[in-house]
Amino acid sequence: VDKLRYNIIDKKLKIIITPKEGKLDPSQLTFDEGKPPFDLILMLDAANIEQLGEMYDQNTELFFNLPTINIDHHASNEYFGKINLVDLTATSTCEILVALFESFGEKTIDETIATCLLTGIITDTGSFQNSNTTPKSLSIAAQLIGLGAHQQEIIQHVFKTKPLSMLKLWGKALTDIQRDAKHSLVWTTLNHKDFEEANATKEDTTGLINDLLSSAPDTNIVLLLSEKEPRMIHGSIRTREGIDAAKIAGLFGGGGHTGAAGFVLQDKDIKEAEKFVLKQIRTYQEREIKGGKVE
Amino acid sequence: VDKLRYNIIDKKLKIIITPKEGKLDPSQLTFDEGKPPFDLILMLDAANIEQLGEMYDQNTELFFNLPTINIDHHASNEYFGKINLVDLTATSTCEILVALFESFGEKTIDETIATCLLTGIITDTGSFQNSNTTPKSLSIAAQLIGLGAHQQEIIQHVFKTKPLSMLKLWGKALTDIQRDAKHSLVWTTLNHKDFEEANATKEDTTGLINDLLSSAPDTNIVLLLSEKEPRMIHGSIRTREGIDAAKIAGLFGGGGHTGAAGFVLQDKDIKEAEKFVLKQIRTYQEREIKGGKVE
């Protein structure tokens, strides 16, 4: 090769090779992939590598070839990194990061970083209302506000902004709330028309069961059935007093945690779903009560 | 007097006086009031003495005769005590009490006291969401949880218990929410029938405007009109962006603070009240916009 030039025209890279003699034979060209332009993979708040979802599926090789650091606070963490910084007593991964960033030097945490870290702590503790709230999480929050975190901005965006469509949809759900004291059950339903009338999206039910329905007193099971698409029913369950929400969701092919679980029912309208689900839950509760688990 | 005996029969005190000679003449009896059985008056969280209300009106003399201690954190405090412990930087009076109790000795704050003090901090900061939240309030909360405060119990009682009647009433209010973008106004109404149908009390609107209506985005004035008794309309106003809620409430003979105010309209049904109030607020907003105060 005598000379190599290149230019870029219309976003196309044109490589001009002038051979010393003869002609360039396209069949002699080979392509090697260069090293990936990354040095390290840093994973935050993931209990296992599969939780990365598409990012992992589409780049599996990267995860084999690069060193990985795994920073997390979940009890279910699988220590899948080359380096694992897992603190099960932390309320959030952001709480762990505060100490890490401090070790980088005194001025590492500026206003913007403090705001981001505080956001993680506030969302993971439900604004210091969840049972995971520790003295440490409160002290670190104090420290971050001291470092200039924009606390009011976080609160405004995370908790105090609800589109009108969401408020209207919540209104519909609350108006129709029902109770079955015998089975310690409170429930409500949203049909597809409710979503249309409120001009609401599927996501507008987010928070409804946690923020409001779960505050109904003297009840151990709270249920929200919502027909997000026609004849496609999403069920959300919250439980108290040692009742396993995941077990109840399991009756309908769903799953989750002890206190919070969910399921999807295909090909039923909201009335059919309500009748079916209530019947099963009542039977479940009666069996549990007879079994002496619940008084 | 030779002898004095007394006994108590049927909750009646019988005093038996045996005079040395002669007879006791009832007209010679006089009655003196003894000293009040109190040594001190301790006032907490009151900006001025009138805020004590009935307690002050019915015992005015006590307040003149006894030494008084005034512990508070409000900027409007009038330093009316003999001793004034007023800290305007504290988020709550309970925050001030923590330091005071600590000065009494190391073990003064037990689990119960810690729970009470934390309740005051959590309610006055709106669970660390209000703009008055300081690093200090978070640190002290951390300390109180460390001392055994039952944080989850507080959260459960203060924020996570809402009677079904309240949830249904809130549902009705949210379903009917309306917006006037031109005047940056969001409002809703509850008529007396709504209260009856939800089986709700007058108090069940508490929190509705703060917790939910105020989260409507892109609006500077939020209004709730509720007909708590027939033809008796309560108005609640919340404002943002430098609009004075007290001024707007003043249009209807009410008052309050810059961001939150209220008023009562007599002898109007909800439809009449809605029409009347909206008209006045729109005129007010247009004047403000013309006056260049709002863009």
Side-chain angles (χ1 to χ4, degrees):
Chain A
V1 173
D2 190 29
K3 265 198 302 191
L4 186 147
R5 289 185 300 127
Y6 72 90
N7 55 38
I8 298 169
I9 295 165
D10 287 344
K11 291 186 185 172
K12 275 193 184 165
L13 171 67
K14 201 168 175 184
I15 302 174
I16 298 138
I17 299 167
T18 316
K20 273 200 180 132
E21 54 188 49
K23 267 197 152 189
L24 197 71
D25 180 358
S27 73
Q28 283 184 315
L29 289 176
T30 59
F31 295 91
D32 269 351
E33 222 171 306
K35 276 205 177 176
F38 309 109
D39 301 320
L40 175 75
I41 295 179
L42 186 63
M43 284 161 290
L44 301 175
D45 216 36
N48 55 58
I49 208 160
E50 286 75 29
Q51 277 202 329
L52 301 175
E54 260 188 27
M55 185 172 294
Y56 175 66
D57 294 343
Q58 293 176 3
N59 303 283
T60 316
E61 234 172 281
L62 269 188
F63 284 79
F64 281 106
N65 295 328
L66 290 174
T68 53
I69 298 180
N70 155 32
I71 303 180
D72 189 31
H73 70 114
H74 291 99
S76 52
N77 192 282
E78 292 177 0
Y79 295 80
F80 53 86
K82 179 107 176 171
I83 297 173
N84 299 289
L85 177 55
V86 179
D87 179 357
L88 307 187
T89 70
T91 57
S92 57
T93 297
C94 282
E95 191 179 311
I96 302 170
L97 292 180
V98 173
L100 184 65
F101 286 9
E102 277 178 332
S103 72
F104 294 163
E106 213 180 285
K107 302 234 162 140
T108 308
I109 303 180
D110 62 13
E111 280 189 25
T112 312
I113 295 177
T115 303
C116 293
L117 293 172
L118 185 59
T119 305
I121 294 173
I122 287 180
T123 49
D124 265 22
T125 61
S127 193
F128 310 106
Q129 297 198 351
N130 296 351
S131 56
N132 66 359
T133 307
T134 57
K136 196 180 167 191
S137 61
L138 288 158
S139 305
I140 291 182
Q143 186 190 345
L144 290 171
I145 295 179
L147 288 167
H150 300 171
Q151 190 251 5
Q152 278 302 294
E153 215 174 289
I154 300 168
I155 298 295
Q156 197 63 46
H157 283 92
V158 175
F159 299 107
K160 301 208 166 164
T161 304
K162 297 191 176 77
L164 234 58
S165 59
M166 177 186 259
L167 292 174
K168 283 189 180 180
L169 191 74
W170 287 25
K172 194 70 185 58
L174 293 177
T175 312
D176 295 344
I177 197 167
Q178 291 182 77
R179 160 185 278 157
D180 171 354
K182 190 183 157 199
H183 299 92
S184 196
L185 179 65
V186 158
W187 79 97
T188 191
T189 60
L190 287 166
N191 62 37
H192 194 63
K193 220 179 83 216
D194 298 328
F195 279 84
E196 284 179 349
E197 281 175 4
N199 201 13
T201 68
K202 281 192 257 179
E203 286 72 38
D204 280 344
T205 56
T206 308
L208 171 58
I209 194 162
N210 282 334
D211 284 10
L212 290 173
L213 295 175
S214 296
S215 9
D218 306 324
T219 192
N220 291 333
I221 306 179
V222 179
L223 170 72
L224 168 66
L225 291 175
S226 43
E227 189 181 29
K228 298 193 173 188
E229 287 160 52
R231 299 185 69 78
M232 162 89 94
I233 313 291
H234 287 251
S236 296
I237 301 172
R238 298 292 179 276
T239 55
R240 290 187 207 140
E241 299 289 331
I243 295 178
D244 190 341
K247 257 194 195 168
I248 297 178
L251 300 174
F252 313 106
H257 304 276
T258 320
F263 59 87
V264 177
L265 292 177
Q266 305 268 13
D267 211 22
K268 281 194 163 51
D269 73 20
I270 196 83
K271 278 289 152 209
E272 292 162 1
E274 185 180 5
K275 211 175 144 189
F276 172 69
V277 171
L278 286 178
K279 189 161 177 252
Q280 299 266 333
I281 294 184
R282 282 174 175 140
T283 310
Y284 177 88
Q285 273 289 75
E286 278 160 22
R287 215 170 44 227
E288 291 284 301
I289 292 166
K290 267 198 195 145
K293 284 202 183 172
V294 178
E295 307 222 355
Chain B
V1 173
D2 189 32
K3 267 199 299 188
L4 187 148
R5 289 184 299 128
Y6 72 90
N7 54 40
I8 297 168
I9 296 166
D10 286 345
K11 291 187 185 170
K12 275 192 185 163
L13 172 67
K14 200 170 176 183
I15 302 174
I16 298 137
I17 299 167
T18 315
K20 269 195 186 144
E21 54 188 52
K23 267 198 149 186
L24 198 72
D25 179 358
S27 72
Q28 283 184 314
L29 290 177
T30 59
F31 295 90
D32 269 351
E33 224 171 303
K35 276 203 175 176
F38 309 109
D39 301 319
L40 176 75
I41 296 178
L42 188 63
M43 285 161 288
L44 301 175
D45 215 35
N48 56 56
I49 208 161
E50 287 73 30
Q51 276 203 329
L52 302 175
E54 262 188 27
M55 186 172 295
Y56 176 66
D57 294 342
Q58 293 175 3
N59 303 283
T60 316
E61 233 172 280
L62 269 189
F63 284 80
F64 280 107
N65 295 326
L66 290 175
T68 52
I69 298 179
N70 155 33
I71 303 180
D72 188 32
H73 70 114
H74 291 99
S76 53
N77 192 282
E78 293 177 1
Y79 295 79
F80 53 87
K82 179 106 175 172
I83 298 172
N84 299 288
L85 178 54
V86 179
D87 179 356
L88 307 186
T89 68
T91 57
S92 57
T93 297
C94 282
E95 192 179 312
I96 301 171
L97 292 180
V98 173
L100 183 65
F101 286 10
E102 277 178 332
S103 72
F104 295 162
E106 212 181 284
K107 300 233 163 140
T108 308
I109 303 180
D110 61 13
E111 279 189 26
T112 311
I113 296 178
T115 304
C116 293
L117 293 173
L118 185 58
T119 305
I121 294 173
I122 286 180
T123 49
D124 265 22
T125 60
S127 194
F128 310 106
Q129 297 197 351
N130 296 350
S131 56
N132 66 359
T133 308
T134 57
K136 196 178 169 193
S137 62
L138 288 157
S139 305
I140 291 183
Q143 185 189 345
L144 291 172
I145 295 177
L147 288 167
H150 301 169
Q151 191 251 5
Q152 277 303 293
E153 217 173 289
I154 301 168
I155 299 295
Q156 197 63 45
H157 283 93
V158 176
F159 298 107
K160 300 208 167 163
T161 304
K162 296 193 177 78
L164 233 57
S165 58
M166 178 187 258
L167 292 174
K168 283 189 180 178
L169 191 73
W170 287 25
K172 194 69 184 57
L174 293 177
T175 312
D176 296 344
I177 197 167
Q178 291 183 76
R179 162 185 276 158
D180 170 355
K182 189 183 157 202
H183 299 93
S184 197
L185 179 65
V186 159
W187 79 98
T188 191
T189 60
L190 287 167
N191 63 36
H192 193 63
K193 220 179 82 215
D194 298 328
F195 279 84
E196 284 180 347
E197 281 175 6
N199 201 12
T201 69
K202 281 190 257 178
E203 287 71 39
D204 280 345
T205 56
T206 308
L208 170 57
I209 194 163
N210 282 334
D211 284 11
L212 289 173
L213 294 175
S214 297
S215 7
D218 306 323
T219 190
N220 291 334
I221 305 179
V222 180
L223 170 72
L224 168 66
L225 290 175
S226 43
E227 189 181 28
K228 298 195 174 188
E229 288 161 52
R231 299 187 69 77
M232 162 89 94
I233 313 291
H234 287 251
S236 297
I237 300 171
R238 297 293 180 275
T239 55
R240 288 186 208 141
E241 300 289 332
I243 294 178
D244 190 342
K247 257 195 196 168
I248 297 177
L251 300 174
F252 312 106
H257 303 278
T258 320
F263 58 88
V264 177
L265 292 177
Q266 307 268 11
D267 211 23
K268 281 195 162 53
D269 74 19
I270 197 84
K271 278 288 151 211
E272 292 161 1
E274 184 180 6
K275 210 174 144 190
F276 172 69
V277 171
L278 287 178
K279 188 162 178 250
Q280 299 266 334
I281 294 183
R282 283 173 175 140
T283 311
Y284 177 88
Q285 275 288 76
E286 278 160 23
R287 216 170 44 227
E288 290 285 302
I289 293 166
K290 267 201 193 143
K293 285 204 183 171
V294 178
E295 308 222 354

